[in-house]
Amino acid sequence: DQQVKQNSPSLSVQEGRISILNCDYTNSMFDYFLWYKKYPAEGPTFLISISSIKDKNEDGRFTVFLNKSAKHLSLHIVPSQPGDSAVYFCAATTWISNFGNEKLTFGTGTRLTIIP
Amino acid sequence: DTGVSQDPRHKITKRGQNVTFRCDPISEHNRLYWYRQTLGQGPEFLTYFQNEAQLEKSRLLSDRFSAERPKGSFSTLEIQRTEQGDSAMYLCASSFQGESSYEQYFGPGTRLTVT
């Protein structure tokens, strides 16, 4: 039962353009969402998060959008840079509604390749 | 403090042997998590601690797996009688239980290969 889905295993984007990574979830109890970036042979690195009380959160080149009615979120990277090439994981948790239970449920990841 | 550290980074063992991994979290973090990641998948939750108390264990954590966090500092994950299906990347993460935001910070992982 895949509660967090990233349907695009890979994505290639020209340097300087916008990268859009998508994520869907099925569990309506999820109320906090995170994006992680992972390089080979390293652990996931936290990028940006959003709680269900917001529909957008921005941090520099990274913006996350949340559409609760569609149970969909997306990560926008603009402009894309070669160092952004990595695997991106979407994760979700029930942080707000269940403060004592904060395990993350991850998607399967999208490999982003930035073409110089 | 430079982040979450894990030791060893790589472990090759024969089926049936026991292995133990160590995780040192970020010093001010009171929560510590273990995840497992296999090829092509995202990390899957195994268990987590608040201070020294183990608060939740996943169904993935069979009775051959045991985790401890003595004194609420570092943690160990032991796998007894390893099987080839245990081959995976074992990730540790830590977080601080706050009220305004919530992120887990991951270590580099321990890659286990069972032959």
Side-chain angles (χ1 to χ4, degrees):
Chain A
D1 175 26
Q2 194 74 24
Q3 299 185 68
V4 178
K5 301 177 184 178
Q6 294 177 257
N7 293 319
S8 299
S10 62
L11 175 68
S12 294
V13 175
Q14 289 281 351
E15 181 179 359
R17 299 290 190 100
I18 184 171
S19 295
I20 300 177
L21 297 98
N22 293 304
C23 177
D24 298 291
Y25 61 96
T26 58
N27 188 341
S28 57
M29 296 299 292
F30 288 146
D31 53 26
Y32 199 87
F33 305 89
L34 308 91
W35 284 93
Y36 284 83
K37 177 168 76 172
K38 187 179 185 303
Y39 294 119
E42 294 184 12
T45 302
F46 170 74
L47 271 179
I48 191 169
S49 61
I50 188 168
S51 74
S52 58
I53 60 174
K54 296 183 177 181
D55 54 18
K56 176 182 174 181
N57 189 26
E58 223 171 328
D59 183 2
R61 296 186 298 113
F62 302 93
T63 303
V64 56
F65 295 92
L66 175 62
N67 183 332
K68 290 186 292 292
S69 61
K71 294 190 176 69
H72 177 83
L73 63 156
S74 60
L75 174 68
H76 292 209
I77 307 173
V78 56
S80 299
Q81 299 174 355
D84 296 330
S85 295
V87 177
Y88 289 77
F89 290 98
C90 170
T93 186
T94 55
W95 176 54
I96 297 174
S97 61
N98 189 7
F99 197 71
N101 182 7
E102 301 170 3
K103 65 183 180 185
L104 296 177
T105 300
F106 283 84
T108 52
T110 296
R111 181 176 301 278
L112 176 65
T113 302
I114 305 302
I115 304 166
Chain B
D1 191 297
T2 56
V4 179
S5 61
Q6 292 186 245
D7 184 70
R9 294 291 304 274
H10 303 274
K11 178 71 177 178
I12 300 174
T13 191
K14 293 185 177 180
R15 184 167 54 92
Q17 297 294 306
N18 298 345
V19 294
T20 300
F21 311 140
R22 176 180 170 124
C23 170
D24 288 90
I26 294 171
S27 57
E28 61 267 28
H29 285 182
N30 56 355
R31 291 201 169 189
L32 186 147
Y33 307 78
W34 285 99
Y35 291 82
R36 181 173 70 185
Q37 185 177 15
T38 53
L39 197 61
Q41 300 297 315
E44 295 175 290
F45 170 79
L46 292 178
T47 187
Y48 88 97
F49 295 83
Q50 175 153 327
N51 300 313
E52 65 274 8
Q54 188 173 18
L55 296 187
E56 185 175 349
K57 294 194 292 186
S58 162
R59 289 170 297 175
L60 293 174
L61 214 64
S62 76
D63 56 6
R64 295 184 298 106
F65 288 71
S66 63
E68 294 182 343
R69 193 184 182 198
K71 303 178 184 177
S73 56
F74 72 91
S75 175
T76 58
L77 178 68
E78 181 184 17
I79 310 174
Q80 296 182 327
R81 305 181 304 280
T82 52
E83 302 173 355
Q84 287 188 324
D86 297 333
S87 295
M89 174 75 83
Y90 289 84
L91 293 162
C92 175
S94 69
S95 73
F96 180 74
Q97 185 183 359
E99 296 181 356
S100 62
S101 65
Y102 171 69
E103 297 91 36
Q104 292 182 16
Y105 294 89
F106 283 81
T110 294
R111 180 165 296 284
L112 173 66
T113 302
V114 181
T115 62

